[in-house]
Amino acid sequence: MPTLTITAPSATYPVIIEDFLHNDRAFITAKSKALVVSNPKIAGLYLHKILPKIRAQEVFVCIVPDGEEHKNMQSIEQILQCAFANRLDRKSLMIALGGGVISDMVGFASGIFEREISYVSIPTTLLAQVDASVGGKCGINNAYGKNLVGLFHQPSAVYIDKEFLRTLPAREIRAGLAEVVKVLVCFDKLGFEALESSQDDMLDPSVLLPFIQKSIAIKARVVEQDERESGIRAALNYGHTFAHIIEMQTHYKRFLHGQAVAIGMTMANDLALRLGLLQETQAKRIERVLRRLGLDEAYPISDIEAFYQAFFLDKKSHNNTLCFVLPKGIGDFTLRDDIPKDQILATLAHFSLESMRI
Amino acid sequence: MPTLTITAPSATYPVIIEDFLHNDRAFITAKSKALVVSNPKIAGLYLHKILPKIRAQEVFVCIVPDGEEHKNMQSIEQILQCAFANRLDRKSLMIALGGGVISDMVGFASGIFEREISYVSIPTTLLAQVDASVGGKCGINNAYGKNLVGLFHQPSAVYIDKEFLRTLPAREIRAGLAEVVKVLVCFDKLGFEALESSQDDMLDPSVLLPFIQKSIAIKARVVEQDERESGIRAALNYGHTFAHIIEMQTHYKRFLHGQAVAIGMTMANDLALRLGLLQETQAKRIERVLRRLGLDEAYPISDIEAFYQAFFLDKKSHNNTLCFVLPKGIGDFTLRDDIPKDQILATLAHFSLESMRI
């Protein structure tokens, strides 16, 4: 059972990739009390399997509403309220059981509860397994955009069990695969080619497992080098600059995060094509893989200028400078903050409502 | 002009003790925008002097209501709202202009704004100058107690100007002196004796200055050794375990924090006497100093058992174990988590409404 160790500057912790649910000897141990945070659906599916595996003085459960639109301060207050009401102390442990929304919020809530207590993450979606649960970025959305309020708080352990994927809707698996494509395009040419040529059913958890491992291993390497995202970690935002605007404009409801990222990668590829960073054939190959994975949703931009202005609200923009992560061929990337507005507008126009009508 | 350098594990920063307000060549420089956070009173008194000293792309001002009862999530949301509405970016700077309430909240808000931006602190009360502004503890209160939600976030600089103390009500100077007494009793016998034998007017800023410097220097040494309060830093909580309950029971309204700390130190001394850690004569000397500084308010405990139970809500209590910081003579201290309940109750009874009536 492989265990990856993440050695970030602020903490070292294991990512345990194994059959956690069906392993009678696998336990999560808290030094004092434990608070499991989950959403109604995941709690109904898995709480009866997880609770007996927690060894703590007392175990409490907090259920927050599901969905990106509830990743807000109100849910954080709900988690904190539950922790205080049940007198968790500084040796207590929070346990995130759910997707990226849950792990982002539990990382944040545990990071500010009595100035930080520990948390472990049990990601139940593919997206959370390959991306959100590793790396310590936590936070919530607000009216101005995604993940604008938060902090860096590394978990003390992450448990990855492919078993959770068996109950995951296909749409969510596809969404998670977008993040797999993202890291492969930026960091791993051979991995991308393996995905490209695979004839297997990508919705099958056993087929997915090696790609999960590969993605986590890449992310671990990136986080180790650049925990606070001053350099290389920015590559993990490939597609995200566009995706954040798409998600905001659709109120986090129309697309899953991964679906928006897939659209965003297509937009970034278009920009990379214009700048000569990517070749037409390479862009087509990425597009083909996304299509085969069912990640070919469209988002016709209705107001190009409004979309462009929204970039400046993103927390990565600084001094009216936009920074884009663009693929440099397949398996490499570059960060560009010098792209002229007309080039960006050209890409946005390419994906506009008008050009799609034609 | 003395500058103390704080070298905490997570950050190194200067505490600049000088005539900042009247120094034409002293400026605060932000790499991008700056947001000054203050309260109505301090803003009215000092904003016209501070604003011309800020060099930034743009400067914004956010005024939050004054007082410990507003040190809550609502005020944090107000600060964040102002920062997002004015499009602060990750290179922007928050500036705390006010007492401990302001610096605690600005440290917290800047710590979670886009996963951390920098802040500088300009403490305008004696209490904030000698205690709150240095060390990076940030946070807010909630229904369960003081400072229960927060994080560690060191400022990038602290500016101490005794000029602010000239407009500070005597009651607030006295409250600040409680924290001076606290560090001297725990760490500095000679400093305590200097305070004890001084014939000068302790409300005079020039008389206070060497004691401010001394207190910051001690706190700096403590924070350097133990930023996260796993050991020695706990000594800075001398008097605070009692004070937090007193403040909570009086809804943060009847006493200033420092006044409550002074009462708390007297209670801790009583406990230390019972345990043979402090001699009667030493306790009397501390009491005499507090009285001369006008820190002899009384808080008759009306319900001993309720007061005792409230200890267990404090974030320092763990697994139903209470930990008290107690003076060991003058200039030394000890942490005790093994005190029998009856001893604690005896101290509480000594300060009870009933015993005070007699």
Side-chain angles (χ1 to χ4, degrees), chain A residues 62-96:
Chain A
C62 173
I63 305 293
V64 291
D66 197 9
E68 193 76 31
E69 70 272 28
H70 295 290
K71 199 172 107 173
N72 55 26
M73 196 59 95
Q74 203 184 329
S75 298
I76 296 294
E77 297 248 44
Q78 192 194 330
I79 298 169
L80 291 175
Q81 166 67 26
C82 187
F84 284 114
N86 294 296
R87 298 192 178 187
L88 263 68
D89 57 28
R90 285 181 165 170
K91 306 268 176 188
S92 295
L93 182 73
M94 287 197 196
I95 298 169

Side-chain angles (χ1 to χ4, degrees), chain B residues 234-268:
Chain B
L236 300 175
N237 294 316
Y238 167 42
H240 283 61
T241 313
F242 295 95
H244 285 174
I245 318 285
I246 295 170
E247 290 184 89
M248 192 171 55
Q249 292 190 343
T250 54
H251 308 286
Y252 309 106
K253 280 181 181 157
R254 184 151 133 214
F255 302 109
L256 293 173
H257 175 61
Q259 293 178 305
V261 168
I263 302 170
M265 288 192 286
T266 312
M267 291 178 174

Side-chain angles (χ1 to χ4, degrees), chain A residues 31-32 57 73 77 80-81 84-85 87 89-91 108 111-116 137-138 142 144 147-152 228-229 309 312-319, chain B residues 31-32 57 73 77 80-81 84-85 87 89-91 108 111-116 137-138 142 144 147-152 228-229 309 312-319:
Chain A
K31 285 182 192 146
S32 171
Q57 240 176 55
M73 196 59 95
E77 297 248 44
L80 291 175
Q81 166 67 26
F84 284 114
R87 298 192 178 187
D89 57 28
R90 285 181 165 170
K91 306 268 176 188
F108 185 37
I112 61 174
F113 178 84
E114 301 195 353
R115 294 198 203 92
E116 195 180 302
K137 274 194 187 179
C138 310
N142 66 14
Y144 295 90
N147 301 322
L148 289 180
V149 173
L151 39 77
F152 286 90
R228 286 292 182 126
E229 195 171 312
Q309 286 308 323
F312 294 97
L313 284 177
D314 196 85
K315 65 185 172 303
K316 271 123 200 158
S317 84
H318 158 55
N319 280 349
Chain B
K31 285 181 193 149
S32 170
Q57 240 174 56
M73 196 60 97
E77 297 250 43
L80 292 174
Q81 165 67 26
F84 284 114
R87 297 191 178 188
D89 58 27
R90 284 182 168 171
K91 305 269 176 187
F108 185 37
I112 62 174
F113 178 84
E114 299 194 356
R115 293 195 206 97
E116 193 180 303
K137 274 194 186 177
C138 308
N142 67 12
Y144 296 91
N147 301 320
L148 288 180
V149 173
L151 40 77
F152 286 89
R228 286 294 181 123
E229 194 172 314
Q309 287 307 323
F312 294 97
L313 285 177
D314 196 83
K315 65 184 171 307
K316 271 120 199 159
S317 84
H318 157 55
N319 279 351

